[in-house]
Amino acid sequence: MSQDNQNQPGQAVEPQDENQLIALRREKLGEMRAAGNAFPNEFKREQYAADLQKQYVDQDKPWFDDNEVRVSVAGRIMLKRVMGKASFITISDTSGRLQIYAQIKLLGDELYESFKTWDSGDIVGVEGLLFKTQKGELTVKADKLQLLTKSLRPLPEKFHGLSDQEQRYRQRYLDLIMSEETRDTFKMRSKIVSYIRRFFEGRDFMEVETPMLQVIPGGATARPFETHHNALDIDMYLRIAPELYLKRLVVGGFDKVFEINRNFRNEGLSTRHNPEFTMIEFYQAYATFHDLMDITEELFRGLALEVLGSTEVPYQGEVFDFAKTFERISVTDSILKHNPDITADDISSLEAATALAEKLGIHVEGYWGLGKIQMEIFDVTVEKKLLNPTFITEYPAEVSPLARRNDDNDFITDRFELFIGGREIGNGFSELNDAEDQAERFQKQVAEKDAGDAEAMHYDADYIRALEYGMPPTAGEGIGIDRLVMLLTDSPSIRDVILFPHMRPE
RNA sequence: GGGGUGUUAGCUCAGUCGGUAGAGCAGUUGACUUUUAAUCAAUUGGUCGAGAGUUCGAAUCUCUCACACCCCA
């Protein structure tokens, strides 16, 4: 709280969207202030709504006549039905909903009259005995009732809720109040992250934290956010990936490490892109990209079973099968498989591939090699068709500056990307641990940067130095958590799985 | 960056051919002691996203801008 804020309680700054409804609630709050402490905090909540619903689901109405169950619950008033000398309200706490019965007989005239002025959205504490209504709904017969927090703003319509998407993203708190579906999505997200963490911990991986503020933004090809460190007087970047730091740790002898954290990329916003997004990256020494594909299948299958209870993953009208072995197919084979009119010759020489790319409407830059052009053709003609989980392998070295070259074919690397629902979900490879090759690849990246590729990598001399000490054969992978959560929660937009997605300021 | 759609009461939405701005919910007042989106009666509430233009007259037609959503690059 700002110290120079001279405003006294109750004389708050006039909000711009003040209206009749808010004004009246402010008046009610004013009366509460005059009557004593308007924001009491000594109420002790003892039970959660959902626990009680679960615990007493099998007890019938007469049971409660013989068994006194006294509870103390608290939550937000979502529904209110006043019938003269008795009322029902439905409150919502973090676990679920519970009905409260308020009678003038039990509460007394004064409290009951006051209660009738309370509004939906207000937060209340309730004590009383449990019973079941004629329709069998578990209800608390309130003998103590206290308004804990006055809500000054009216809630959205009780039946339709908040449907304006912009408002749901900008005022997520309101979306969470109104939508069980939204609450479930983020509970699911928490479960997913928790499962992933346990999965790797259970395999002796160590969780680490590496710099988010980096002097050289490395580990991926993307535009970084720039910032400045005043004391050191140097420009710094928000990280686009943790990769190079995690591999330094493998050099240091931490054979199995993982990090779940945010990356930042200074790019456009879309249903699949948010400027900050969450990735898990994990690295395992003495493993290959084949091992990673096995681990990934195991992880995804386990996750689906854990959070959905099934290996069939419904998504936007499709169903993806996580039970079957994930298809493994090379970049070039996948192009041929999904495009009967494209021949192997069309994509095996720079000239032919360039011609094909241009026919597909791709703007080919002069510095692109065959590998880059193949990937562009793949992006346009294959990616969207990869619905069931598919590992695409044999990525060109040209577009894989950190991956180990294939022993039999140095045009390609021991790398894969995982696609589900037509979207890239993961990217992994056997790591390039040849310091001299890595130095050359960095130099090539620098040349591409000079040639106009703003996303090309910087030369990271300390990373080369680390590799020169020797990194054991290692494989590493990154998985986009947000896109994974989208899949498992059947969410069409990345904004639906990020609590506070980035929007243009109001 | 390009295209499409949208923006009307606190919320969910109507608004015909350009002719005085509508409903439901919420709110307010009254009735009602087992309701279930309670019900019944009455009633308050509007810079129609912003600006300009056409017109006797614009929520409605035209243009510009803002924001959002969707599609494409």
Side-chain angles (χ1 to χ4, degrees), chain A residues 249-433:
Chain A
L249 296 178
V250 178
V251 169
F254 288 148
D255 278 357
K256 290 179 167 183
V257 292
F258 76 98
E259 176 164 9
I260 299 175
N261 224 323
R262 221 71 61 79
N263 291 338
F264 304 85
R265 297 186 183 174
N266 204 342
E267 293 162 358
L269 293 82
S270 79
T271 49
R272 290 177 293 281
H273 298 87
N274 194 61
E276 54 181 305
F277 61 98
T278 303
M279 289 248 292
I280 174 171
E281 285 204 10
F282 59 97
Y283 290 81
Q284 179 174 2
Y286 312 107
T288 69
F289 75 121
H290 292 293
D291 300 318
L292 295 187
M293 288 191 274
D294 294 340
I295 290 173
T296 305
E297 281 200 41
E298 203 183 324
L299 171 65
F300 275 53
R301 219 164 273 141
L303 250 181
L305 282 171
E306 169 88 0
V307 304
L308 298 175
S310 164
T311 51
E312 296 197 346
V313 179
Y315 187 75
Q316 303 293 299
E318 310 261 1
V319 177
F320 306 133
D321 184 359
F322 281 26
K324 271 192 301 197
T325 303
F326 296 5
E327 185 183 5
R328 302 183 186 191
I329 183 171
S330 74
V331 171
T332 50
D333 285 348
S334 72
I335 293 172
L336 298 178
K337 178 181 170 186
H338 290 279
N339 299 282
D341 48 325
I342 295 177
T343 67
D345 288 343
D346 291 335
I347 53 173
S348 49
S349 75
L350 184 62
E351 294 71 28
T354 302
L356 174 61
E358 281 172 349
K359 204 174 86 184
L360 291 167
I362 298 163
H363 179 68
V364 179
E365 298 285 350
Y367 59 87
W368 289 7
L370 175 60
K372 172 70 176 167
I373 295 170
Q374 285 176 345
M375 288 319 303
E376 293 289 326
I377 293 171
F378 170 87
D379 285 348
V380 173
T381 65
V382 181
E383 182 167 351
K384 279 197 205 89
K385 298 172 183 167
L386 303 175
L387 297 179
N388 276 315
T390 305
F391 291 111
I392 298 294
T393 61
E394 300 187 14
Y395 275 70
E398 182 187 349
V399 297
S400 314
L402 304 169
R404 182 182 192 279
R405 277 183 212 277
N406 183 267
D407 286 338
D408 301 320
N409 178 359
D410 68 1
F411 181 76
I412 57 172
T413 55
D414 290 343
R415 174 182 172 194
F416 65 86
E417 285 191 351
L418 172 62
F419 292 85
I420 305 173
R423 289 176 191 158
E424 182 204 338
I425 300 284
N427 174 26
F429 40 84
S430 297
E431 302 297 337
L432 175 57
N433 62 344

Side-chain angles (χ1 to χ4, degrees), chain A residues 1 8-12 25-43 76 121-125 146-153:
Chain A
M1 183 69 75
Q8 296 300 307
Q11 303 175 329
R25 287 178 179 225
R26 271 191 208 287
E27 239 173 75
K28 290 177 181 176
L29 176 60
E31 285 163 21
M32 289 167 65
R33 286 188 203 280
N37 185 2
F39 292 91
N41 69 346
E42 71 282 359
F43 185 85
R76 190 184 294 277
D122 289 354
I123 293 166
V124 297
Q146 193 177 9
L147 178 48
L148 301 177
T149 306
K150 183 67 195 168
S151 170
L152 295 176
R153 288 176 179 270

Side-chain angles (χ1 to χ4, degrees), chain A residues 76-79 92 97 120-121 154-163 168 171-183:
Chain A
R76 190 184 294 277
I77 299 176
M78 300 305 291
L79 296 169
S92 168
R97 290 189 171 200
S120 71
L155 291 179
E157 214 252 3
K158 62 188 174 188
F159 186 62
H160 297 93
L162 184 64
S163 69
R168 288 179 47 219
Q171 295 178 259
R172 182 68 87 185
Y173 42 87
L174 192 54
D175 185 25
L176 289 167
I177 288 171
M178 296 308 297
S179 168
E180 185 176 10
E181 197 185 339
T182 300
R183 288 193 299 273

Side-chain angles (χ1 to χ4, degrees), chain A residues 33-198:
Chain A
R33 286 188 203 280
N37 185 2
F39 292 91
N41 69 346
E42 71 282 359
F43 185 85
K44 295 297 174 215
R45 178 254 298 277
E46 305 288 350
Q47 287 88 11
Y48 290 100
D51 293 343
L52 294 174
Q53 301 281 16
K54 200 171 164 190
Q55 195 175 347
Y56 294 103
V57 66
D58 292 328
Q59 309 301 344
D60 59 7
K61 187 169 162 56
W63 184 88
F64 291 93
D65 297 333
D66 307 327
N67 298 272
E68 286 199 349
V69 184
R70 186 165 185 80
V71 300
S72 171
V73 295
R76 190 184 294 277
I77 299 176
M78 300 305 291
L79 296 169
K80 193 175 170 209
R81 298 178 284 279
V82 178
M83 305 161 301
K85 298 185 171 63
S87 303
F88 288 93
I89 57 173
T90 301
I91 65 166
S92 168
D93 70 17
T94 191
S95 71
R97 290 189 171 200
L98 188 61
Q99 183 167 262
I100 311 296
Y101 184 50
Q103 278 179 304
I104 194 165
K105 189 173 74 184
L106 274 176
L107 297 172
D109 290 6
E110 195 184 338
L111 177 57
Y112 188 77
E113 287 307 314
S114 166
F115 158 80
K116 283 205 284 186
T117 69
W118 299 356
D119 295 295
S120 71
D122 289 354
I123 293 166
V124 297
V126 183
E127 290 177 51
L129 299 180
L130 285 179
F131 74 105
K132 279 199 174 170
T133 64
Q134 289 171 350
K135 293 277 171 63
E137 177 158 355
L138 188 70
T139 304
V140 182
K141 187 175 287 185
D143 50 50
K144 287 185 183 168
L145 197 53
Q146 193 177 9
L147 178 48
L148 301 177
T149 306
K150 183 67 195 168
S151 170
L152 295 176
R153 288 176 179 270
L155 291 179
E157 214 252 3
K158 62 188 174 188
F159 186 62
H160 297 93
L162 184 64
S163 69
D164 183 81
Q165 283 204 56
E166 181 176 356
Q167 214 177 338
R168 288 179 47 219
Y169 296 146
R170 289 195 194 275
Q171 295 178 259
R172 182 68 87 185
Y173 42 87
L174 192 54
D175 185 25
L176 289 167
I177 288 171
M178 296 308 297
S179 168
E180 185 176 10
E181 197 185 339
T182 300
R183 288 193 299 273
D184 285 346
T185 295
F186 289 103
K187 285 179 187 171
M188 192 99 103
R189 180 176 177 126
S190 171
K191 271 190 191 173
I192 290 166
V193 172
S194 166
Y195 180 88
I196 294 172
R197 184 167 272 124
R198 280 181 280 127

Side-chain angles (χ1 to χ4, degrees), chain A residues 449-460:
Chain A
K449 200 170 222 18
D450 293 343
D453 185 352
E455 296 185 345
M457 292 179 181
H458 294 72
Y459 191 97
D460 189 333

